[in-house]
Amino acid sequence: MDETRGGMHGTIKLFSGTGCPELAQEISEQLKVPLSPRSIVQFANENIFVKLGESIRGQDVFVIQTMASPVSHNILELLILLDTIKRASPDRVTAVIPYFAYARSDKKDQPRVPITARLMADIIGIAGADRYMTLDLHADQIQGFFSIPGDALTCFSILSDYFRDKDLKKAVVVAADLGFAKKARNLAAELDLPLAFVEKRRISSDTEALTLVGEVAGHDVIIVDDEVDTGGTAINAVGILREHGARDIYMCFAHAVFSPPAVERLKALPVREFVTTNSISLPPERHLPNLTQLSVAGLLANVIDRVHTGRSVGEIFRRYQRYE
């Protein structure tokens, strides 16, 4: 897109936090809109200071910042960026959050606990965002926590296209968690493959696989989940699938959180390939030799352009809506 092209909200201005600079640069290149200059400094007392390097008065501003590790720093940096930008009199501000932290804290499942996902949604709006954009929320109903409009997107098309190109002839899609069964079912339908489920129960912070529902013996397997955190679910899923005679095992997930000791655990698993996205920037020490990261930059750039010009975002996913 032409960076000089204006819209009903002025021209596009892109700002990036420090959470996912490579992804922000990719989005910038896709849109042919340069990242706007800004200064982000952390003082000796750990206070964060932000200053914009150009005027954004009357413009359509998109702030790209993930909420991955270091989580608290990246969240606070996003909020300060939003406040800084809002005070510079833009026409509209959209928070582009590839990975939304605290999404699993979406309900009171114990006495006297918070609903932190709702808190995150509230403070993003209070800090200055007029809209939000994010990828693969842990639960779709989190959209209802926001009092501002937005786009809760999915990487489904990117991941399904990748596995379609692999053309696995004798394979089964497996939901690593019954809570993720719907999206696993959608992937199975898109690839025209059968579906199986790993039933598990969570004990404290660990998980224990109980049984497998479906047939995987003699088949390649694509395990589907929304994110991999410490790798506990992966260990259990791979173990029970091997016990039931699965051949090559692939793991497919949107967000590579990889909290310790995930990298060590995943390296030890007999998995042919881990397939995820670059919604979270991974330092070299958290990469795996058999890890494939697919870029979400094209998807986010397309949505940013459509939001800016007032065109339908749903059209991008129309091909896949038959599975909802």
Short mmCIF file of all heavy atoms in Angstrom, two decimals, residues 206-253:
data_model
loop_
_atom_site.label_atom_id
_atom_site.label_comp_id
_atom_site.label_asym_id
_atom_site.label_seq_id
_atom_site.Cartn_x
_atom_site.Cartn_y
_atom_site.Cartn_z
N ASP A 206 0.56 -29.22 36.71
CA ASP A 206 0.91 -30.27 35.76
C ASP A 206 -0.35 -30.85 35.12
O ASP A 206 -1.46 -30.61 35.57
CB ASP A 206 1.69 -31.38 36.45
CG ASP A 206 3.02 -30.90 36.99
OD1 ASP A 206 3.64 -30.06 36.32
OD2 ASP A 206 3.42 -31.34 38.09
N THR A 207 -0.15 -31.59 34.05
CA THR A 207 -1.27 -32.25 33.41
C THR A 207 -1.01 -33.74 33.35
O THR A 207 0.13 -34.19 33.32
CB THR A 207 -1.49 -31.73 31.98
OG1 THR A 207 -0.29 -31.97 31.23
CG2 THR A 207 -1.81 -30.26 31.97
N GLU A 208 -2.08 -34.52 33.32
CA GLU A 208 -1.95 -35.96 33.21
C GLU A 208 -2.90 -36.47 32.14
O GLU A 208 -4.10 -36.28 32.23
CB GLU A 208 -2.27 -36.63 34.55
CG GLU A 208 -2.17 -38.16 34.50
CD GLU A 208 -2.55 -38.81 35.81
OE1 GLU A 208 -2.77 -38.06 36.79
OE2 GLU A 208 -2.64 -40.04 35.86
N ALA A 209 -2.35 -37.05 31.08
CA ALA A 209 -3.18 -37.62 30.03
C ALA A 209 -3.84 -38.88 30.53
O ALA A 209 -3.19 -39.74 31.13
CB ALA A 209 -2.34 -37.91 28.79
N LEU A 210 -5.13 -39.00 30.28
CA LEU A 210 -5.86 -40.16 30.78
C LEU A 210 -6.12 -41.18 29.69
O LEU A 210 -5.88 -42.37 29.87
CB LEU A 210 -7.20 -39.71 31.39
CG LEU A 210 -7.11 -38.78 32.59
CD1 LEU A 210 -8.51 -38.40 33.04
CD2 LEU A 210 -6.36 -39.45 33.73
N THR A 211 -6.62 -40.74 28.56
CA THR A 211 -6.99 -41.69 27.53
C THR A 211 -7.01 -41.01 26.17
O THR A 211 -6.99 -39.78 26.07
CB THR A 211 -8.38 -42.30 27.82
OG1 THR A 211 -8.63 -43.36 26.90
CG2 THR A 211 -9.47 -41.25 27.70
N LEU A 212 -7.06 -41.82 25.13
CA LEU A 212 -7.14 -41.32 23.76
C LEU A 212 -8.47 -41.73 23.17
O LEU A 212 -8.85 -42.91 23.21
CB LEU A 212 -5.99 -41.90 22.92
CG LEU A 212 -5.96 -41.50 21.45
CD1 LEU A 212 -5.60 -40.02 21.30
CD2 LEU A 212 -4.97 -42.36 20.68
N VAL A 213 -9.19 -40.76 22.64
CA VAL A 213 -10.46 -41.03 21.97
C VAL A 213 -10.23 -40.94 20.47
O VAL A 213 -10.01 -39.85 19.93
CB VAL A 213 -11.54 -40.02 22.42
CG1 VAL A 213 -12.88 -40.34 21.73
CG2 VAL A 213 -11.70 -40.02 23.92
N GLY A 214 -10.24 -42.07 19.79
CA GLY A 214 -9.96 -42.09 18.35
C GLY A 214 -8.85 -43.08 18.03
O GLY A 214 -8.22 -43.65 18.92
N GLU A 215 -8.57 -43.26 16.73
CA GLU A 215 -7.61 -44.25 16.27
C GLU A 215 -6.42 -43.56 15.60
O GLU A 215 -6.59 -42.75 14.68
CB GLU A 215 -8.28 -45.19 15.25
CG GLU A 215 -7.38 -46.27 14.71
CD GLU A 215 -6.84 -47.19 15.80
OE1 GLU A 215 -7.64 -47.63 16.65
OE2 GLU A 215 -5.62 -47.44 15.78
N VAL A 216 -5.20 -43.85 16.09
CA VAL A 216 -4.00 -43.25 15.51
C VAL A 216 -2.97 -44.30 15.09
O VAL A 216 -1.94 -43.94 14.50
CB VAL A 216 -3.34 -42.26 16.50
CG1 VAL A 216 -4.29 -41.13 16.86
CG2 VAL A 216 -2.84 -42.97 17.75
N ALA A 217 -3.19 -45.56 15.36
CA ALA A 217 -2.20 -46.60 15.06
C ALA A 217 -1.88 -46.61 13.57
O ALA A 217 -2.77 -46.65 12.72
CB ALA A 217 -2.74 -47.97 15.49
N GLY A 218 -0.57 -46.55 13.27
CA GLY A 218 -0.12 -46.58 11.89
C GLY A 218 -0.32 -45.29 11.12
O GLY A 218 -0.13 -45.25 9.91
N HIS A 219 -0.71 -44.21 11.82
CA HIS A 219 -0.96 -42.92 11.18
C HIS A 219 0.05 -41.88 11.66
O HIS A 219 0.53 -41.94 12.79
CB HIS A 219 -2.37 -42.40 11.51
CG HIS A 219 -3.47 -43.17 10.87
ND1 HIS A 219 -3.80 -44.45 11.25
CD2 HIS A 219 -4.33 -42.84 9.86
CE1 HIS A 219 -4.82 -44.88 10.52
NE2 HIS A 219 -5.16 -43.92 9.67
N ASP A 220 0.36 -40.91 10.77
CA ASP A 220 1.02 -39.70 11.22
C ASP A 220 0.00 -38.88 12.00
O ASP A 220 -1.22 -39.00 11.78
CB ASP A 220 1.54 -38.88 10.04
CG ASP A 220 2.63 -39.60 9.27
OD1 ASP A 220 3.34 -40.43 9.87
OD2 ASP A 220 2.77 -39.35 8.06
N VAL A 221 0.50 -38.05 12.91
CA VAL A 221 -0.40 -37.31 13.80
C VAL A 221 -0.02 -35.83 13.81
O VAL A 221 1.17 -35.49 13.86
CB VAL A 221 -0.32 -37.88 15.24
CG1 VAL A 221 -1.01 -36.96 16.22
CG2 VAL A 221 -0.96 -39.26 15.30
N ILE A 222 -1.04 -34.97 13.76
CA ILE A 222 -0.84 -33.52 13.93
C ILE A 222 -1.54 -33.12 15.23
O ILE A 222 -2.77 -33.09 15.30
CB ILE A 222 -1.43 -32.72 12.75
CG1 ILE A 222 -0.86 -33.19 11.42
CG2 ILE A 222 -1.17 -31.22 12.95
CD1 ILE A 222 -1.58 -32.61 10.21
N ILE A 223 -0.75 -32.84 16.26
CA ILE A 223 -1.31 -32.40 17.54
C ILE A 223 -1.58 -30.90 17.46
O ILE A 223 -0.71 -30.12 17.06
CB ILE A 223 -0.34 -32.68 18.70
CG1 ILE A 223 0.00 -34.18 18.78
CG2 ILE A 223 -0.93 -32.21 20.02
CD1 ILE A 223 1.08 -34.49 19.81
N VAL A 224 -2.78 -30.48 17.84
CA VAL A 224 -3.19 -29.07 17.74
C VAL A 224 -3.43 -28.51 19.13
O VAL A 224 -4.10 -29.12 19.95
CB VAL A 224 -4.47 -28.93 16.88
CG1 VAL A 224 -4.83 -27.45 16.72
CG2 VAL A 224 -4.27 -29.57 15.52
N ASP A 225 -2.88 -27.32 19.38
CA ASP A 225 -3.13 -26.60 20.64
C ASP A 225 -3.02 -25.11 20.36
O ASP A 225 -2.54 -24.70 19.29
CB ASP A 225 -2.13 -27.03 21.72
CG ASP A 225 -2.72 -26.95 23.13
OD1 ASP A 225 -3.74 -26.26 23.29
OD2 ASP A 225 -2.15 -27.55 24.05
N ASP A 226 -3.46 -24.28 21.30
CA ASP A 226 -3.37 -22.84 21.08
C ASP A 226 -1.98 -22.30 21.39
O ASP A 226 -1.47 -21.42 20.73
CB ASP A 226 -4.44 -22.07 21.86
CG ASP A 226 -4.37 -22.29 23.35
OD1 ASP A 226 -3.79 -23.31 23.78
OD2 ASP A 226 -4.90 -21.46 24.10
N GLU A 227 -1.31 -22.87 22.43
CA GLU A 227 0.02 -22.42 22.79
C GLU A 227 0.76 -23.55 23.48
O GLU A 227 0.14 -24.50 23.98
CB GLU A 227 -0.02 -21.20 23.69
CG GLU A 227 -0.62 -21.45 25.06
CD GLU A 227 -0.64 -20.21 25.95
OE1 GLU A 227 -1.14 -19.16 25.49
OE2 GLU A 227 -0.17 -20.30 27.09
N VAL A 228 2.08 -23.46 23.49
CA VAL A 228 2.90 -24.36 24.30
C VAL A 228 3.62 -23.49 25.32
O VAL A 228 4.38 -22.59 24.95
CB VAL A 228 3.91 -25.14 23.44
CG1 VAL A 228 4.90 -25.88 24.34
CG2 VAL A 228 3.18 -26.13 22.53
N ASP A 229 3.35 -23.77 26.60
CA ASP A 229 3.95 -22.98 27.68
C ASP A 229 5.15 -23.74 28.25
O ASP A 229 6.26 -23.61 27.78
CB ASP A 229 2.89 -22.69 28.74
CG ASP A 229 3.37 -21.72 29.81
OD1 ASP A 229 4.50 -21.19 29.68
OD2 ASP A 229 2.64 -21.49 30.78
N THR A 230 4.94 -24.58 29.26
CA THR A 230 6.06 -25.32 29.84
C THR A 230 6.29 -26.67 29.15
O THR A 230 7.29 -27.33 29.42
CB THR A 230 5.82 -25.59 31.34
OG1 THR A 230 4.65 -26.39 31.50
CG2 THR A 230 5.65 -24.27 32.10
N GLY A 231 5.38 -27.07 28.30
CA GLY A 231 5.54 -28.33 27.57
C GLY A 231 4.93 -29.54 28.25
O GLY A 231 5.04 -30.66 27.74
N GLY A 232 4.27 -29.36 29.38
CA GLY A 232 3.68 -30.49 30.09
C GLY A 232 2.61 -31.20 29.29
O GLY A 232 2.57 -32.44 29.24
N THR A 233 1.73 -30.45 28.65
CA THR A 233 0.68 -31.06 27.83
C THR A 233 1.30 -31.82 26.66
O THR A 233 0.83 -32.91 26.30
CB THR A 233 -0.27 -29.97 27.31
OG1 THR A 233 -0.95 -29.37 28.42
CG2 THR A 233 -1.31 -30.55 26.36
N ALA A 234 2.37 -31.26 26.06
CA ALA A 234 3.02 -31.92 24.93
C ALA A 234 3.59 -33.27 25.33
O ALA A 234 3.46 -34.26 24.60
CB ALA A 234 4.13 -31.02 24.38
N ILE A 235 4.22 -33.33 26.50
CA ILE A 235 4.80 -34.59 26.97
C ILE A 235 3.72 -35.66 27.09
O ILE A 235 3.87 -36.80 26.61
CB ILE A 235 5.50 -34.40 28.33
CG1 ILE A 235 6.77 -33.56 28.17
CG2 ILE A 235 5.84 -35.74 28.96
CD1 ILE A 235 7.41 -33.18 29.49
N ASN A 236 2.62 -35.31 27.72
CA ASN A 236 1.54 -36.27 27.91
C ASN A 236 0.91 -36.70 26.60
O ASN A 236 0.62 -37.88 26.37
CB ASN A 236 0.48 -35.68 28.83
CG ASN A 236 0.95 -35.59 30.27
OD1 ASN A 236 1.72 -36.43 30.73
ND2 ASN A 236 0.51 -34.58 30.97
N ALA A 237 0.68 -35.73 25.70
CA ALA A 237 0.03 -36.05 24.43
C ALA A 237 0.91 -36.95 23.58
O ALA A 237 0.45 -37.95 23.03
CB ALA A 237 -0.29 -34.75 23.68
N VAL A 238 2.19 -36.60 23.47
CA VAL A 238 3.11 -37.41 22.66
C VAL A 238 3.24 -38.81 23.25
O VAL A 238 3.24 -39.82 22.52
CB VAL A 238 4.49 -36.74 22.56
CG1 VAL A 238 5.51 -37.67 21.93
CG2 VAL A 238 4.39 -35.45 21.74
N GLY A 239 3.32 -38.89 24.57
CA GLY A 239 3.45 -40.18 25.22
C GLY A 239 2.30 -41.12 24.93
O GLY A 239 2.49 -42.28 24.56
N ILE A 240 1.08 -40.62 25.08
CA ILE A 240 -0.08 -41.49 24.88
C ILE A 240 -0.27 -41.84 23.41
O ILE A 240 -0.72 -42.93 23.06
CB ILE A 240 -1.36 -40.86 25.48
CG1 ILE A 240 -2.44 -41.93 25.63
CG2 ILE A 240 -1.87 -39.71 24.62
CD1 ILE A 240 -3.63 -41.46 26.45
N LEU A 241 0.13 -40.93 22.50
CA LEU A 241 0.02 -41.23 21.08
C LEU A 241 1.02 -42.31 20.67
O LEU A 241 0.70 -43.19 19.86
CB LEU A 241 0.24 -39.95 20.26
CG LEU A 241 -0.88 -38.91 20.37
CD1 LEU A 241 -0.47 -37.60 19.73
CD2 LEU A 241 -2.16 -39.44 19.74
N ARG A 242 2.23 -42.24 21.22
CA ARG A 242 3.21 -43.29 20.95
C ARG A 242 2.72 -44.64 21.48
O ARG A 242 2.87 -45.68 20.84
CB ARG A 242 4.55 -42.92 21.60
CG ARG A 242 5.37 -41.90 20.82
CD ARG A 242 5.76 -42.46 19.47
NE ARG A 242 6.76 -41.61 18.81
CZ ARG A 242 7.08 -41.70 17.52
NH1 ARG A 242 6.47 -42.61 16.77
NH2 ARG A 242 7.99 -40.92 17.00
N GLU A 243 2.12 -44.61 22.65
CA GLU A 243 1.59 -45.85 23.23
C GLU A 243 0.53 -46.49 22.34
O GLU A 243 0.38 -47.71 22.31
CB GLU A 243 0.98 -45.58 24.61
CG GLU A 243 1.99 -45.26 25.70
CD GLU A 243 1.31 -44.85 26.99
OE1 GLU A 243 0.06 -45.00 27.07
OE2 GLU A 243 2.01 -44.38 27.91
N HIS A 244 -0.18 -45.65 21.58
CA HIS A 244 -1.25 -46.15 20.73
C HIS A 244 -0.81 -46.33 19.28
O HIS A 244 -1.65 -46.45 18.37
CB HIS A 244 -2.46 -45.22 20.79
CG HIS A 244 -3.25 -45.37 22.07
ND1 HIS A 244 -2.81 -44.86 23.27
CD2 HIS A 244 -4.44 -45.99 22.32
CE1 HIS A 244 -3.70 -45.14 24.21
NE2 HIS A 244 -4.69 -45.84 23.66
N GLY A 245 0.51 -46.32 19.03
CA GLY A 245 1.02 -46.71 17.71
C GLY A 245 1.11 -45.62 16.67
O GLY A 245 1.16 -45.93 15.46
N ALA A 246 1.14 -44.33 17.07
CA ALA A 246 1.29 -43.26 16.09
C ALA A 246 2.66 -43.32 15.42
O ALA A 246 3.65 -43.73 16.04
CB ALA A 246 1.10 -41.91 16.76
N ARG A 247 2.73 -42.89 14.17
CA ARG A 247 4.00 -42.84 13.45
C ARG A 247 4.64 -41.47 13.68
O ARG A 247 4.89 -41.09 14.82
CB ARG A 247 3.76 -43.10 11.96
CG ARG A 247 3.22 -44.49 11.65
CD ARG A 247 3.23 -44.79 10.17
NE ARG A 247 2.61 -43.73 9.36
CZ ARG A 247 2.33 -43.85 8.06
NH1 ARG A 247 2.63 -44.96 7.42
NH2 ARG A 247 1.75 -42.85 7.41
N ASP A 248 4.91 -40.71 12.63
CA ASP A 248 5.50 -39.38 12.78
C ASP A 248 4.51 -38.45 13.49
O ASP A 248 3.31 -38.42 13.16
CB ASP A 248 5.87 -38.79 11.43
CG ASP A 248 7.10 -39.45 10.83
OD1 ASP A 248 7.85 -40.10 11.59
OD2 ASP A 248 7.32 -39.32 9.61
N ILE A 249 5.03 -37.67 14.44
CA ILE A 249 4.20 -36.75 15.20
C ILE A 249 4.61 -35.32 14.89
O ILE A 249 5.80 -34.97 14.93
CB ILE A 249 4.32 -37.02 16.71
CG1 ILE A 249 3.78 -38.42 17.04
CG2 ILE A 249 3.57 -35.96 17.52
CD1 ILE A 249 3.93 -38.80 18.50
N TYR A 250 3.62 -34.48 14.56
CA TYR A 250 3.81 -33.05 14.35
C TYR A 250 3.04 -32.32 15.43
O TYR A 250 1.96 -32.76 15.83
CB TYR A 250 3.30 -32.61 12.98
CG TYR A 250 3.98 -33.27 11.79
CD1 TYR A 250 3.59 -34.55 11.38
CD2 TYR A 250 4.99 -32.63 11.09
CE1 TYR A 250 4.20 -35.16 10.29
CE2 TYR A 250 5.59 -33.24 10.00
CZ TYR A 250 5.21 -34.49 9.61
OH TYR A 250 5.82 -35.10 8.54
N MET A 251 3.58 -31.19 15.90
CA MET A 251 2.85 -30.34 16.84
C MET A 251 2.58 -28.99 16.19
O MET A 251 3.50 -28.36 15.64
CB MET A 251 3.63 -30.15 18.14
CG MET A 251 3.59 -31.35 19.05
SD MET A 251 3.82 -30.91 20.80
CE MET A 251 2.31 -30.00 21.13
N CYS A 252 1.33 -28.54 16.25
CA CYS A 252 0.89 -27.33 15.58
C CYS A 252 0.23 -26.43 16.62
O CYS A 252 -0.74 -26.83 17.26
CB CYS A 252 -0.08 -27.73 14.47
SG CYS A 252 -1.02 -26.39 13.74
N PHE A 253 0.75 -25.21 16.80
CA PHE A 253 0.19 -24.31 17.80
C PHE A 253 0.47 -22.86 17.40
O PHE A 253 1.42 -22.57 16.67
CB PHE A 253 0.77 -24.60 19.19
CG PHE A 253 2.27 -24.75 19.23
CD1 PHE A 253 3.09 -23.70 19.60
CD2 PHE A 253 2.87 -25.96 18.89
CE1 PHE A 253 4.47 -23.83 19.64
CE2 PHE A 253 4.24 -26.12 18.94
CZ PHE A 253 5.05 -25.06 19.30
#
